[in-house]
PDB file of all heavy atoms in Angstrom:
ATOM      1  N   MET A 153     -10.234 111.821  97.615  1.00 95.00           N
ATOM      2  CA  MET A 153      -9.127 112.689  98.021  1.00 95.00           C
ATOM      3  C   MET A 153      -9.081 113.922  97.121  1.00 95.00           C
ATOM      4  O   MET A 153      -9.105 113.792  95.899  1.00 95.00           O
ATOM      5  CB  MET A 153      -7.814 111.904  97.866  1.00 95.00           C
ATOM      6  CG  MET A 153      -6.696 112.392  98.736  1.00 95.00           C
ATOM      7  SD  MET A 153      -5.184 111.417  98.424  1.00 95.00           S
ATOM      8  CE  MET A 153      -4.415 111.444 100.010  1.00 95.00           C
ATOM      9  N   THR A 158       0.677 122.342  91.311  1.00 98.00           N
ATOM     10  CA  THR A 158       1.356 123.593  91.002  1.00 98.00           C
ATOM     11  C   THR A 158       2.561 123.342  90.106  1.00 98.00           C
ATOM     12  O   THR A 158       3.030 122.205  89.982  1.00 98.00           O
ATOM     13  CB  THR A 158       1.725 124.392  92.270  1.00 98.00           C
ATOM     14  OG1 THR A 158       1.760 125.784  91.939  1.00 98.00           O
ATOM     15  CG2 THR A 158       3.072 124.011  92.856  1.00 98.00           C
ATOM     16  N   ASP A 165      17.500 129.964  88.597  1.00 96.00           N
ATOM     17  CA  ASP A 165      17.532 129.031  89.724  1.00 96.00           C
ATOM     18  C   ASP A 165      16.369 129.290  90.677  1.00 96.00           C
ATOM     19  O   ASP A 165      15.972 130.444  90.884  1.00 96.00           O
ATOM     20  CB  ASP A 165      18.849 129.187  90.490  1.00 96.00           C
ATOM     21  CG  ASP A 165      19.991 128.484  89.757  1.00 96.00           C
ATOM     22  OD1 ASP A 165      19.711 127.602  88.924  1.00 96.00           O
ATOM     23  OD2 ASP A 165      21.153 128.840  90.022  1.00 96.00           O
ATOM     24  N   MET A 181       1.058 119.998 102.418  1.00 97.00           N
ATOM     25  CA  MET A 181      -0.243 119.412 102.088  1.00 97.00           C
ATOM     26  C   MET A 181      -0.160 117.997 101.507  1.00 97.00           C
ATOM     27  O   MET A 181      -1.173 117.341 101.317  1.00 97.00           O
ATOM     28  CB  MET A 181      -0.966 120.319 101.075  1.00 97.00           C
ATOM     29  CG  MET A 181      -1.241 121.707 101.629  1.00 97.00           C
ATOM     30  SD  MET A 181      -1.920 122.791 100.366  1.00 97.00           S
ATOM     31  CE  MET A 181      -3.609 122.209 100.308  1.00 97.00           C
ATOM     32  N   VAL A 191       7.447 120.833  86.215  1.00 98.00           N
ATOM     33  CA  VAL A 191       8.325 121.919  85.756  1.00 98.00           C
ATOM     34  C   VAL A 191       7.659 122.533  84.530  1.00 98.00           C
ATOM     35  O   VAL A 191       7.437 121.841  83.532  1.00 98.00           O
ATOM     36  CB  VAL A 191       9.724 121.388  85.367  1.00 98.00           C
ATOM     37  CG1 VAL A 191      10.613 122.545  84.904  1.00 98.00           C
ATOM     38  CG2 VAL A 191      10.370 120.673  86.532  1.00 98.00           C
ATOM     39  N   ILE A 222       9.618 117.269  98.754  1.00 98.00           N
ATOM     40  CA  ILE A 222       8.508 116.715  97.970  1.00 98.00           C
ATOM     41  C   ILE A 222       8.721 115.202  97.898  1.00 98.00           C
ATOM     42  O   ILE A 222       9.777 114.740  97.454  1.00 98.00           O
ATOM     43  CB  ILE A 222       8.485 117.347  96.546  1.00 98.00           C
ATOM     44  CG1 ILE A 222       8.102 118.826  96.621  1.00 98.00           C
ATOM     45  CG2 ILE A 222       7.573 116.575  95.605  1.00 98.00           C
ATOM     46  CD1 ILE A 222       6.669 119.125  97.008  1.00 98.00           C
ATOM     47  N   GLU A 236       1.936 116.088  75.662  1.00 98.00           N
ATOM     48  CA  GLU A 236       1.547 116.815  74.446  1.00 98.00           C
ATOM     49  C   GLU A 236       0.069 117.182  74.420  1.00 98.00           C
ATOM     50  O   GLU A 236      -0.363 117.970  73.558  1.00 98.00           O
ATOM     51  CB  GLU A 236       1.920 115.993  73.193  1.00 98.00           C
ATOM     52  CG  GLU A 236       1.128 114.708  72.979  1.00 98.00           C
ATOM     53  CD  GLU A 236       1.699 113.497  73.740  1.00 98.00           C
ATOM     54  OE1 GLU A 236       2.354 113.684  74.786  1.00 98.00           O
ATOM     55  OE2 GLU A 236       1.460 112.367  73.277  1.00 98.00           O
ATOM     56  N   TYR A 251      -9.941 137.963  74.050  1.00 97.00           N
ATOM     57  CA  TYR A 251      -8.663 138.677  73.920  1.00 97.00           C
ATOM     58  C   TYR A 251      -8.540 139.702  75.052  1.00 97.00           C
ATOM     59  O   TYR A 251      -7.490 139.848  75.674  1.00 97.00           O
ATOM     60  CB  TYR A 251      -8.594 139.356  72.539  1.00 97.00           C
ATOM     61  CG  TYR A 251      -7.401 140.240  72.389  1.00 97.00           C
ATOM     62  CD1 TYR A 251      -6.154 139.700  72.111  1.00 97.00           C
ATOM     63  CD2 TYR A 251      -7.508 141.623  72.560  1.00 97.00           C
ATOM     64  CE1 TYR A 251      -5.038 140.511  72.001  1.00 97.00           C
ATOM     65  CE2 TYR A 251      -6.395 142.438  72.446  1.00 97.00           C
ATOM     66  CZ  TYR A 251      -5.165 141.876  72.161  1.00 97.00           C
ATOM     67  OH  TYR A 251      -4.069 142.674  72.063  1.00 97.00           O
ATOM     68  N   LYS A 261       0.572 142.733  81.078  1.00 95.00           N
ATOM     69  CA  LYS A 261       0.687 144.186  80.885  1.00 95.00           C
ATOM     70  C   LYS A 261       2.103 144.660  81.235  1.00 95.00           C
ATOM     71  O   LYS A 261       2.707 145.423  80.508  1.00 95.00           O
ATOM     72  CB  LYS A 261      -0.357 144.916  81.744  1.00 95.00           C
ATOM     73  CG  LYS A 261      -1.759 144.782  81.147  1.00 95.00           C
ATOM     74  CD  LYS A 261      -2.656 145.935  81.522  1.00 95.00           C
ATOM     75  CE  LYS A 261      -3.270 145.692  82.869  1.00 95.00           C
ATOM     76  NZ  LYS A 261      -4.367 146.562  83.205  1.00 95.00           N
ATOM     77  N   GLY A 273       3.218 134.184  72.713  1.00 97.00           N
ATOM     78  CA  GLY A 273       3.203 133.261  73.859  1.00 97.00           C
ATOM     79  C   GLY A 273       3.014 133.981  75.187  1.00 97.00           C
ATOM     80  O   GLY A 273       2.461 133.418  76.131  1.00 97.00           O
ATOM     81  N   LEU A 280      -2.329 128.673  78.711  1.00 98.00           N
ATOM     82  CA  LEU A 280      -1.558 127.417  78.856  1.00 98.00           C
ATOM     83  C   LEU A 280      -1.562 127.003  80.328  1.00 98.00           C
ATOM     84  O   LEU A 280      -1.672 125.827  80.662  1.00 98.00           O
ATOM     85  CB  LEU A 280      -0.125 127.645  78.349  1.00 98.00           C
ATOM     86  CG  LEU A 280       0.840 126.464  78.424  1.00 98.00           C
ATOM     87  CD1 LEU A 280       0.353 125.287  77.584  1.00 98.00           C
ATOM     88  CD2 LEU A 280       2.239 126.880  77.961  1.00 98.00           C
ATOM     89  N   ASP A 298       1.401 136.554  93.187  1.00 95.00           N
ATOM     90  CA  ASP A 298       1.565 137.038  91.804  1.00 95.00           C
ATOM     91  C   ASP A 298       0.855 136.138  90.789  1.00 95.00           C
ATOM     92  O   ASP A 298       0.581 136.562  89.672  1.00 95.00           O
ATOM     93  CB  ASP A 298       3.056 137.163  91.453  1.00 95.00           C
ATOM     94  CG  ASP A 298       3.781 135.832  91.540  1.00 95.00           C
ATOM     95  OD1 ASP A 298       3.631 135.133  92.558  1.00 95.00           O
ATOM     96  OD2 ASP A 298       4.479 135.476  90.572  1.00 95.00           O
ATOM     97  N   ASN A 314     -17.875 125.266  80.750  1.00 98.00           N
ATOM     98  CA  ASN A 314     -18.944 124.425  81.346  1.00 98.00           C
ATOM     99  C   ASN A 314     -20.324 124.952  80.943  1.00 98.00           C
ATOM    100  O   ASN A 314     -21.221 124.167  80.615  1.00 98.00           O
ATOM    101  CB  ASN A 314     -18.849 124.442  82.876  1.00 98.00           C
ATOM    102  CG  ASN A 314     -17.705 123.596  83.403  1.00 98.00           C
ATOM    103  OD1 ASN A 314     -17.088 122.847  82.654  1.00 98.00           O
ATOM    104  ND2 ASN A 314     -17.426 123.713  84.692  1.00 98.00           N
ATOM    105  N   PHE A 321     -15.244 120.727  83.479  1.00 98.00           N
ATOM    106  CA  PHE A 321     -14.115 120.983  84.384  1.00 98.00           C
ATOM    107  C   PHE A 321     -14.576 121.245  85.807  1.00 98.00           C
ATOM    108  O   PHE A 321     -15.617 121.859  86.035  1.00 98.00           O
ATOM    109  CB  PHE A 321     -13.346 122.237  83.934  1.00 98.00           C
ATOM    110  CG  PHE A 321     -12.772 122.150  82.562  1.00 98.00           C
ATOM    111  CD1 PHE A 321     -13.259 122.945  81.542  1.00 98.00           C
ATOM    112  CD2 PHE A 321     -11.739 121.273  82.298  1.00 98.00           C
ATOM    113  CE1 PHE A 321     -12.722 122.878  80.266  1.00 98.00           C
ATOM    114  CE2 PHE A 321     -11.187 121.193  81.028  1.00 98.00           C
ATOM    115  CZ  PHE A 321     -11.685 121.995  80.011  1.00 98.00           C
ATOM    116  N   GLU A 325      -9.369 126.524  92.928  1.00 97.00           N
ATOM    117  CA  GLU A 325      -9.179 127.752  93.722  1.00 97.00           C
ATOM    118  C   GLU A 325      -7.700 127.968  93.999  1.00 97.00           C
ATOM    119  O   GLU A 325      -6.985 127.007  94.297  1.00 97.00           O
ATOM    120  CB  GLU A 325      -9.862 127.603  95.081  1.00 97.00           C
ATOM    121  CG  GLU A 325     -11.333 127.857  95.042  1.00 97.00           C
ATOM    122  CD  GLU A 325     -11.954 127.597  96.404  1.00 97.00           C
ATOM    123  OE1 GLU A 325     -11.380 128.039  97.417  1.00 97.00           O
ATOM    124  OE2 GLU A 325     -12.998 126.932  96.420  1.00 97.00           O
ATOM    125  N   ASN A 340      15.624 145.531  97.489  1.00 96.00           N
ATOM    126  CA  ASN A 340      14.533 146.437  97.130  1.00 96.00           C
ATOM    127  C   ASN A 340      13.219 145.811  97.606  1.00 96.00           C
ATOM    128  O   ASN A 340      12.504 145.167  96.844  1.00 96.00           O
ATOM    129  CB  ASN A 340      14.540 146.634  95.611  1.00 96.00           C
ATOM    130  CG  ASN A 340      13.434 147.568  95.172  1.00 96.00           C
ATOM    131  OD1 ASN A 340      12.643 148.044  95.993  1.00 96.00           O
ATOM    132  ND2 ASN A 340      13.356 147.824  93.878  1.00 96.00           N
ATOM    133  N   PRO A 341      12.901 145.980  98.902  1.00 97.00           N
ATOM    134  CA  PRO A 341      11.800 145.198  99.495  1.00 97.00           C
ATOM    135  C   PRO A 341      10.390 145.652  99.095  1.00 97.00           C
ATOM    136  O   PRO A 341       9.424 145.306  99.772  1.00 97.00           O
ATOM    137  CB  PRO A 341      12.040 145.330 100.999  1.00 97.00           C
ATOM    138  CG  PRO A 341      12.828 146.559 101.161  1.00 97.00           C
ATOM    139  CD  PRO A 341      13.612 146.785  99.903  1.00 97.00           C
ATOM    140  N   ASP A 350      18.361 140.515  87.509  1.00 85.00           N
ATOM    141  CA  ASP A 350      19.768 140.597  87.090  1.00 85.00           C
ATOM    142  C   ASP A 350      20.723 140.796  88.261  1.00 85.00           C
ATOM    143  O   ASP A 350      21.828 140.294  88.261  1.00 85.00           O
ATOM    144  CB  ASP A 350      19.962 141.761  86.095  1.00 85.00           C
ATOM    145  CG  ASP A 350      19.252 141.476  84.791  1.00 85.00           C
ATOM    146  OD1 ASP A 350      19.097 140.275  84.469  1.00 85.00           O
ATOM    147  OD2 ASP A 350      18.836 142.439  84.107  1.00 85.00           O
ATOM    148  N   ILE A 365      24.465 133.485 101.523  1.00 98.00           N
ATOM    149  CA  ILE A 365      23.108 133.654 102.071  1.00 98.00           C
ATOM    150  C   ILE A 365      23.179 134.552 103.309  1.00 98.00           C
ATOM    151  O   ILE A 365      22.413 135.519 103.447  1.00 98.00           O
ATOM    152  CB  ILE A 365      22.476 132.279 102.421  1.00 98.00           C
ATOM    153  CG1 ILE A 365      22.282 131.469 101.135  1.00 98.00           C
ATOM    154  CG2 ILE A 365      21.162 132.450 103.194  1.00 98.00           C
ATOM    155  CD1 ILE A 365      21.778 130.055 101.351  1.00 98.00           C
ATOM    156  N   ALA A 372      20.651 143.182 103.976  1.00 98.00           N
ATOM    157  CA  ALA A 372      19.299 143.494 103.468  1.00 98.00           C
ATOM    158  C   ALA A 372      18.917 144.938 103.809  1.00 98.00           C
ATOM    159  O   ALA A 372      19.283 145.454 104.877  1.00 98.00           O
ATOM    160  CB  ALA A 372      18.285 142.534 104.094  1.00 98.00           C
ATOM    161  N   LYS A 381       8.835 145.701 114.075  1.00 96.00           N
ATOM    162  CA  LYS A 381       7.376 145.724 114.028  1.00 96.00           C
ATOM    163  C   LYS A 381       6.958 145.153 112.685  1.00 96.00           C
ATOM    164  O   LYS A 381       7.665 145.339 111.688  1.00 96.00           O
ATOM    165  CB  LYS A 381       6.936 147.199 114.104  1.00 96.00           C
ATOM    166  CG  LYS A 381       5.548 147.419 114.651  1.00 96.00           C
ATOM    167  CD  LYS A 381       5.325 148.903 114.857  1.00 96.00           C
ATOM    168  CE  LYS A 381       3.903 149.231 114.449  1.00 96.00           C
ATOM    169  NZ  LYS A 381       3.717 150.653 114.216  1.00 96.00           N
ATOM    170  N   GLU A 385       3.771 148.138 105.042  1.00 96.00           N
ATOM    171  CA  GLU A 385       3.717 149.385 104.287  1.00 96.00           C
ATOM    172  C   GLU A 385       4.885 150.322 104.644  1.00 96.00           C
ATOM    173  O   GLU A 385       5.569 150.842 103.778  1.00 96.00           O
ATOM    174  CB  GLU A 385       2.386 150.079 104.558  1.00 96.00           C
ATOM    175  CG  GLU A 385       2.052 151.038 103.442  1.00 96.00           C
ATOM    176  CD  GLU A 385       0.635 151.560 103.596  1.00 96.00           C
ATOM    177  OE1 GLU A 385      -0.285 150.738 103.851  1.00 96.00           O
ATOM    178  OE2 GLU A 385       0.485 152.779 103.500  1.00 96.00           O
ATOM    179  N   VAL A 424      17.676 135.541 111.299  1.00 98.00           N
ATOM    180  CA  VAL A 424      17.087 135.127 110.008  1.00 98.00           C
ATOM    181  C   VAL A 424      18.170 134.499 109.128  1.00 98.00           C
ATOM    182  O   VAL A 424      17.934 133.484 108.456  1.00 98.00           O
ATOM    183  CB  VAL A 424      16.412 136.328 109.290  1.00 98.00           C
ATOM    184  CG1 VAL A 424      15.822 135.905 107.953  1.00 98.00           C
ATOM    185  CG2 VAL A 424      15.323 136.945 110.165  1.00 98.00           C
ATOM    186  N   ALA A 457       3.375 109.423  82.891  1.00 98.00           N
ATOM    187  CA  ALA A 457       2.374 108.438  82.444  1.00 98.00           C
ATOM    188  C   ALA A 457       1.015 108.783  83.046  1.00 98.00           C
ATOM    189  O   ALA A 457      -0.012 108.795  82.355  1.00 98.00           O
ATOM    190  CB  ALA A 457       2.815 107.030  82.851  1.00 98.00           C
ATOM    191  N   GLU A 461      -2.243 110.296  80.877  1.00 98.00           N
ATOM    192  CA  GLU A 461      -3.493 109.533  80.842  1.00 98.00           C
ATOM    193  C   GLU A 461      -4.689 110.436  81.173  1.00 98.00           C
ATOM    194  O   GLU A 461      -5.698 110.453  80.475  1.00 98.00           O
ATOM    195  CB  GLU A 461      -3.390 108.378  81.840  1.00 98.00           C
ATOM    196  CG  GLU A 461      -4.504 107.373  81.687  1.00 98.00           C
ATOM    197  CD  GLU A 461      -4.457 106.312  82.779  1.00 98.00           C
ATOM    198  OE1 GLU A 461      -3.343 105.991  83.260  1.00 98.00           O
ATOM    199  OE2 GLU A 461      -5.546 105.828  83.160  1.00 98.00           O
ATOM    200  N   LYS A 479     -17.264 111.105  63.849  1.00 85.00           N
ATOM    201  CA  LYS A 479     -18.702 110.835  63.769  1.00 85.00           C
ATOM    202  C   LYS A 479     -19.282 110.714  65.174  1.00 85.00           C
ATOM    203  O   LYS A 479     -18.567 110.549  66.142  1.00 85.00           O
ATOM    204  CB  LYS A 479     -18.999 109.589  62.947  1.00 85.00           C
ATOM    205  CG  LYS A 479     -18.220 108.344  63.297  1.00 85.00           C
ATOM    206  CD  LYS A 479     -18.686 107.187  62.459  1.00 85.00           C
ATOM    207  CE  LYS A 479     -17.941 105.918  62.871  1.00 85.00           C
ATOM    208  NZ  LYS A 479     -18.396 104.698  62.376  1.00 85.00           N
TER     209      LYS A 479
END
Side-chain angles (χ1 to χ4, degrees):
M153 204 182 211
T158 208
D165 282 340
M181 298 174 77
V191 180
I222 292 290
E236 68 275 27
Y251 173 79
K261 285 207 276 193
L280 180 61
D298 61 311
N314 285 350
F321 300 112
E325 279 176 45
N340 180 358
D350 293 333
I365 295 175
K381 205 172 141 198
E385 202 171 314
V424 179
E461 192 186 329
K479 50 176 183 169

